Amino acid sequence: MPGEEDGQRDDGGPAAAASTVDELDDEKRPAPLNGWVVVLAPLLLAFVVVGPLAHYGAWPDWVSRTIAAAAGAALCYWHWRVKHWKPMLESHMRCTSPGIRDIEVAQLQHEAGDTAVDPSGVLQVQMLVLGVTRPAAFRQRVVERYDVGHRVLRQQMTLDVSIPAQLNVAEPAPDADQREILFPLLVPPKGQLVDNLCVADSDGARIPVLAYSEYLSTVARALRTLLLIAYNARTLPPEAQQAEASALRAVMRRDHEPVDSSAADLLRNLRVPRPGVARLAARLVEKLAGHYAVLVSVPYPSTGRFVLQYERTITPALKLRRCEKGKRLSWLRARLRVLLGARPVDISLTLEQAWASHSYHLLVDGGDGIYVGHQKAPDLATFFDRGMQLKNGAMKPYYRFRRRAGQSYAHFYCREFAEPAAGRPVPVIRFRFYEVPPGSTLRALVAAFSAALLVWIIGFVMSRQPELDSDAPAYLLAFPAVAAAWLGFDPPARRLLEGTLAGRLSLLCTSLLSLGASTLYLITKSKLPFFDGRNPTNLQVLGIGSLYWSLLTVLAVINVSAILFIHIVRFKEFMYFSSRVSDSPGHSENS
């Protein structure tokens, strides 16, 4: 990865390698009390279950069990903190990297020493500087597409690039088709890795990406060319070479080092015949001090236009709501989604590529079986209204969403997007997808209805004939629990959508109600006096007089009603979106 691979290398030699081995051995060595935890925790658990060997009464018995349970929980918590939580926190520590040596900077200056100011070199420098600082000068149209996978996003970018005529100062050479140019494809912040990057042209042929050393050499040559043009000379004076060394050091800095803006200031303050060129070099260094460029080698286009495509994998951060006043229910729902594996497709994307082109399209494909439920950009209108100064002849900024019509993808379009000012956040767009009916809610509804019906029927019979001589009700009551587990907890292997939270909670309630009803039936059959209570004032709940069978029946009816209401709401919403007037008149899906 350009800008990253050398930052992770340790050139400490054999001594450093030996110390690394010692550190690994220390990590593998168990903690002194870890063995005792493995022995004591099962023993304490066995004591809680079995109790003391000698019986001293009910009160001392339960007190000793409570103390043993508390001690076991404390040991497990200590074991978790030492062996799991602490190593997990330390796994996010930054990797150490050697500092930048003067000999490395001198080597780059030496490589750039034979740079000559020729038309083709000037074109390459212009493409590098503008491609890094003002990418919209080349990118006419950008189409950004996201395919939603399981915990990752696959980003697919298509760039329509056009070299402005005023930059193409080089006369077409006889071998122009064989000449190559270097184009800045990405300019991510330092420290950010680009995963699974694959670059291709319009025909799908692979395009090579420059290595980190080649990237540094290219920047050094471009900086030398700009300084030579600024001085209108063939060699640089000593003060220019010192400013160049400071600039290269700033470009080579690692991500955990502070950004050095003094190097760009040195370039701006140079007394040169062409101060505008010096300011251009300062802008390049200022950008690359906090970012690095991914350069690709592209065949020289005879028409000045070419198309690039690239794909990469992005792992979005999982944002859970904080437990704040007024948001405790949302905090609980967020953790239940993770616990039950019911995370919907709900992603937020930054428009960091929108200002890098004149025309920008963003498409998010959620996959089969889901549709666009919500799409919003709360900060976008405010961003467009603040400080939007249009130059003479410039087009007015514009944006819009593809209207929701029950489709599985979302589409956002904007043009003439302004570059965010320094320190201002980039606008964010949020998309939320829902299941296409019937989905998981129908499966949960069927399981909940069958459980409620069985609980009511058996409770109705048991309240009138407790001496029922059959084991069939126990098997019937256990069936909804098995069906709920089979229907709802088999997540798809690829999609991010893993069932709705309402469906998972309903299936969980169905399982618990079925198991509770089976247990109550067995207790009633065994004639144990624990759950033989009757409803107060001879109250009949759907014909059931038993107190506990009435409670189970009410809970089962509530479960059915809740999931039925949610299913009807989602069904009506999908039908409304799908039956709206289409943007493409004449195209229809007939049902």
Side-chain angles (χ1 to χ4, degrees):
M1 182 59 56
E4 299 298 328
E5 54 189 8
D6 290 357
Q8 308 297 331
R9 189 181 297 118
D10 188 359
D11 298 328
S19 63
T20 303
V21 172
D22 294 338
E23 293 174 359
L24 292 176
D25 291 341
D26 291 338
E27 292 179 0
K28 295 179 180 179
R29 191 177 298 116
L33 296 179
N34 185 52
W36 289 103
V37 172
V38 175
V39 175
L40 289 177
L43 292 178
L44 290 173
L45 178 61
F47 181 83
V48 172
V49 175
V50 177
L53 297 179
H55 184 65
Y56 300 100
W59 177 250
D61 186 7
W62 287 108
V63 168
S64 61
R65 292 191 183 192
T66 303
I67 295 175
L75 283 177
C76 292
Y77 176 77
W78 177 87
H79 177 76
W80 170 73
R81 291 280 300 183
V82 173
K83 299 299 295 181
H84 298 279
W85 180 252
K86 186 178 180 181
M88 183 179 64
L89 295 181
E90 293 176 350
S91 66
H92 295 281
M93 299 294 290
R94 290 185 179 272
C95 298
T96 58
S97 58
I100 301 171
R101 298 174 295 176
D102 294 336
I103 190 174
E104 295 176 324
V105 179
Q107 179 66 27
L108 276 182
Q109 288 185 293
H110 178 72
E111 292 179 5
D114 58 349
T115 301
V117 180
D118 58 85
S120 61
V122 172
L123 171 63
Q124 182 59 69
V125 171
Q126 290 175 323
M127 292 197 63
L128 177 63
V129 175
L130 292 180
V132 170
T133 60
R134 284 186 7 194
F138 298 102
R139 306 183 185 194
Q140 299 299 317
R141 186 173 185 267
V142 171
V143 178
E144 183 175 10
R145 185 184 185 94
Y146 286 93
D147 288 333
V148 180
H150 186 79
R151 192 64 191 95
V152 296
L153 302 174
R154 187 63 181 173
Q155 183 191 44
Q156 303 174 5
M157 296 284 293
T158 302
L159 312 178
D160 292 341
V161 183
S162 176
I163 302 176
Q166 60 270 25
L167 295 186
N168 195 0
V169 297
E171 293 293 335
D175 59 344
D177 292 338
Q178 283 74 37
R179 189 153 53 93
E180 294 185 344
I181 56 176
L182 301 179
F183 180 76
L185 186 69
L186 285 167
V187 189
K190 290 190 175 181
Q192 182 183 100
L193 294 176
V194 181
D195 298 331
N196 301 325
L197 180 63
C198 179
V199 187
D201 58 13
S202 58
D203 298 328
R206 293 289 296 271
I207 294 179
V209 180
L210 268 66
Y212 177 62
S213 57
E214 296 175 311
Y215 154 73
L216 288 180
S217 179
T218 301
V219 173
R221 292 178 182 274
L223 184 60
R224 175 62 62 88
T225 300
L226 289 174
L227 291 178
L228 290 177
I229 296 175
Y231 276 95
N232 196 18
R234 294 185 177 181
T235 58
L236 296 180
E239 64 272 11
Q241 293 182 8
Q242 294 178 1
E244 181 187 45
S246 299
L248 291 177
R249 183 180 293 274
V251 172
M252 297 172 63
R253 62 168 288 275
R254 270 66 177 184
D255 65 290
H256 58 274
E257 298 176 359
V259 177
D260 186 10
S261 59
S262 61
D265 295 335
L266 288 177
L267 294 175
R268 289 191 184 95
N269 297 330
L270 288 176
R271 296 182 178 180
V272 295
R274 298 179 179 178
V277 180
R279 289 193 295 267
L280 198 63
R283 288 176 53 191
L284 176 65
V285 172
E286 195 171 34
K287 183 70 174 182
L288 295 182
H291 299 74
Y292 68 96
V294 178
L295 301 179
V296 294
S297 179
V298 182
Y300 180 84
S302 58
T303 60
R305 300 184 66 96
F306 59 92
V307 176
L308 287 178
Q309 306 175 28
Y310 72 85
E311 296 183 2
R312 64 169 175 164
T313 302
I314 296 178
T315 304
L318 179 61
K319 292 186 177 181
L320 298 177
R321 294 183 181 271
R322 296 181 179 181
C323 186
E324 300 175 352
K325 186 177 181 180
K327 297 182 179 180
R328 292 185 176 88
L329 185 59
S330 299
W331 175 86
L332 179 61
R333 282 202 306 263
R335 279 142 185 85
L336 282 176
R337 288 191 183 101
V338 178
L339 179 64
L340 299 178
R343 296 191 304 274
V345 179
D346 188 350
I347 58 176
S348 297
L349 303 174
T350 58
L351 298 177
E352 56 186 11
Q353 297 292 333
W355 63 271
S357 64
H358 294 282
S359 177
Y360 173 77
H361 295 263
L362 173 64
L363 294 97
V364 180
D365 189 0
D368 297 332
I370 60 178
Y371 68 96
V372 183
H374 290 286
Q375 50 187 13
K376 59 182 179 179
D379 301 329
L380 196 57
T382 306
F383 177 83
F384 271 82
D385 292 339
R386 289 181 182 174
M388 294 298 296
Q389 298 179 358
L390 300 180
K391 298 180 180 180
N392 293 332
M395 298 180 63
K396 186 177 180 179
Y398 172 80
Y399 71 93
R400 65 165 297 181
F401 287 95
R402 167 70 166 86
R403 68 185 309 177
R404 290 170 292 172
Q407 76 277 13
S408 63
Y409 68 92
H411 186 186
F412 171 79
Y413 166 73
C414 71
R415 62 171 178 257
E416 305 303 327
F417 196 95
E419 180 179 0
R424 287 185 55 190
V426 181
V428 175
I429 294 184
R430 183 174 180 179
F431 297 103
R432 185 179 179 90
F433 294 81
Y434 294 139
E435 278 187 317
V436 173
S440 61
T441 55
L442 179 63
R443 297 192 296 270
L445 177 60
V446 172
F449 180 78
S450 62
L453 185 61
L454 289 175
V455 168
W456 173 71
I457 291 176
I458 296 176
F460 184 85
V461 174
M462 293 295 296
S463 63
R464 284 164 171 74
Q465 191 177 355
E467 303 297 332
L468 184 64
D469 189 16
S470 175
D471 293 332
Y475 295 103
L476 291 175
L477 290 171
F479 171 73
V482 177
W486 178 66
L487 289 174
F489 288 85
D490 186 17
R494 187 188 68 85
R495 289 193 330 220
L496 182 64
L497 184 71
E498 299 178 352
T500 61
L501 178 62
R504 290 293 173 88
L505 288 177
S506 177
L507 290 170
L508 181 62
C509 292
T510 299
S511 301
L512 295 177
L513 287 171
S514 300
L515 294 177
S518 299
T519 303
L520 180 60
Y521 175 77
L522 294 177
I523 291 176
T524 305
K525 283 274 296 181
S526 301
K527 297 182 181 181
L528 296 176
F530 300 121
F531 299 98
D532 57 354
R534 307 292 297 180
N535 291 333
T537 66
N538 295 324
L539 180 67
Q540 296 290 317
V541 177
L542 297 179
I544 300 176
S546 173
L547 174 62
Y548 297 101
W549 282 108
S550 298
L551 290 176
L552 287 177
T553 302
V554 170
L555 292 176
V557 171
I558 293 176
N559 183 30
V560 173
S561 302
I563 193 62
L564 177 62
F565 173 78
I566 294 174
H567 180 71
I568 293 176
V569 168
R570 294 297 182 216
F571 172 76
K572 294 293 292 183
E573 185 181 69
F574 176 73
M575 290 297 296
Y576 170 75
F577 286 140
S578 301
S579 59
R580 297 171 70 187
V581 178
S582 175
D583 290 342
S584 302
H587 297 75
S588 63
E589 179 183 353
N590 303 319
S591 298

